[in-house]
Amino acid sequence: MFTIYYGALRNVMVFGETGRVLSAVVDERRDRRIGTVGVGRPRDPQVDDAILTAARELLAEQGYQKTTITAIARRAQLGTAAIYRRWATKESIIEDAVFGMQDAALPVTTSNLRDDMQAWTRWFLARVAEPATRAAIPGLLSAYHQEDGAYEQLVRRSEDPARLALAERVRVEFPERSDAEIASTADVAFDILVATTIVRGLTSGLADGDAFCARTADALVLLVTSTGTEISRQ
């Protein structure tokens, strides 16, 4: 999914702003080699797709621990060298496989704020509730404790496009608000949206999803509307 991804809270989810960690010694390209060119020949996008598809299938079928680089290579009918030319770690493959939000089509804006908030809630919930994502998140959270900076890399890649898009939706609804008001309101709404859908998706999947999305949309509309009012009174 997700770009995705992809924030709300570091101690519960992979997307998040609270408690973000950043290590200056971590090179963003070290664990992710998408976009680089292999020695002596051009990269084949079909190979990239085969690897990511294999990773998603294994996560859904066998879980995080058994989704190894060797297993991914075997499922994709490739050698492990083809994977290591693209990704340095299993975690970086899984991040791209399930949190590629930069490649996902965000919800279309309409003239109805509540309908849009419900569409955003449904969009996030559907991504998190996918079997591959539900299997990936606990394993990635554990891995992030071992490597400072990896979590921050994922947030930058997967969360920012969706966060900016939601801010723009708030701006359309409240054109009279200042940039600071828009940013403040959108950030709070986004953090709550991501946190609630992630927890719900992990624990309950899509069960009773329509009712959950409706309730969450109501809360987001109330938040977005009242936040601007409270700011203007200060």
Side-chain angles (χ1 to χ4, degrees):
M1 76 155 50
F2 166 220
T3 216
I4 347 347
Y5 44 64
Y6 159 158
L9 61 171
R10 187 192 188 291
N11 61 335
V12 178
M13 268 334 340
V14 232
F15 303 109
E17 171 140 353
T18 302
R20 286 182 179 180
V21 291
L22 177 61
S23 171
V25 300
V26 174
D27 178 0
E28 186 171 357
R29 302 302 295 176
R30 186 185 68 187
D31 286 339
R32 184 165 294 96
R33 300 178 180 181
I34 288 292
T36 62
V37 178
V39 176
R41 59 183 177 182
R43 286 279 305 279
D44 184 351
Q46 292 184 344
V47 174
D48 295 346
D49 291 342
I51 293 169
L52 296 177
T53 298
R56 285 190 292 269
E57 291 174 353
L58 287 168
L59 284 166
E61 296 170 11
Q62 301 184 27
Y64 184 88
Q65 294 301 324
K66 292 185 178 180
T67 303
T68 63
I69 288 181
T70 299
I72 293 170
R74 187 181 302 115
R75 174 65 64 94
Q77 298 183 339
L78 296 166
T80 56
I83 294 180
Y84 284 116
R85 281 197 296 269
R86 294 162 169 82
W87 294 273
T89 66
K90 166 179 137 173
E91 288 73 29
S92 59
I93 299 172
I94 292 175
E95 286 177 9
D96 283 337
V98 300
F99 297 118
M101 292 181 68
Q102 68 273 17
D103 299 323
L106 294 168
V108 176
T109 297
T110 72
S111 60
N112 187 298
L113 178 62
R114 187 193 178 284
D115 287 350
D116 288 351
M117 293 300 98
Q118 188 161 347
W120 275 83
T121 305
R122 187 178 296 110
W123 186 80
F124 272 98
L125 180 63
R127 290 178 61 84
V128 176
E130 290 179 358
T133 308
R134 296 179 74 178
I137 286 174
L140 287 175
L141 284 175
S142 177
Y144 291 153
H145 287 296
Q146 308 300 320
E147 185 176 349
D148 287 347
Y151 171 77
E152 178 67 19
Q153 290 180 42
L154 175 60
V155 168
R156 283 200 305 271
R157 290 192 322 119
S158 63
E159 173 189 298
D160 287 350
R163 183 180 287 272
L164 291 173
L166 186 60
E168 184 57 32
R169 178 62 187 89
V170 176
R171 188 186 308 279
V172 169
E173 190 71 20
F174 304 102
E176 72 282 359
R177 294 185 185 177
S178 67
D179 290 344
E181 290 174 325
I182 294 295
S184 176
T185 300
D187 279 346
V188 173
F190 188 88
D191 290 345
I192 292 175
L193 170 63
V194 174
T196 55
T197 52
I198 285 177
V199 172
R200 179 74 181 202
L202 284 180
T203 58
S204 303
L206 294 176
D208 199 27
D210 289 342
F212 166 79
C213 291
R215 292 193 303 269
T216 303
D218 288 339
L220 290 172
V221 170
L222 180 62
L223 170 68
V224 168
T225 302
S226 61
T227 299
T229 303
E230 292 302 317
I231 291 175
S232 66
R233 289 176 179 172
Q234 295 178 0

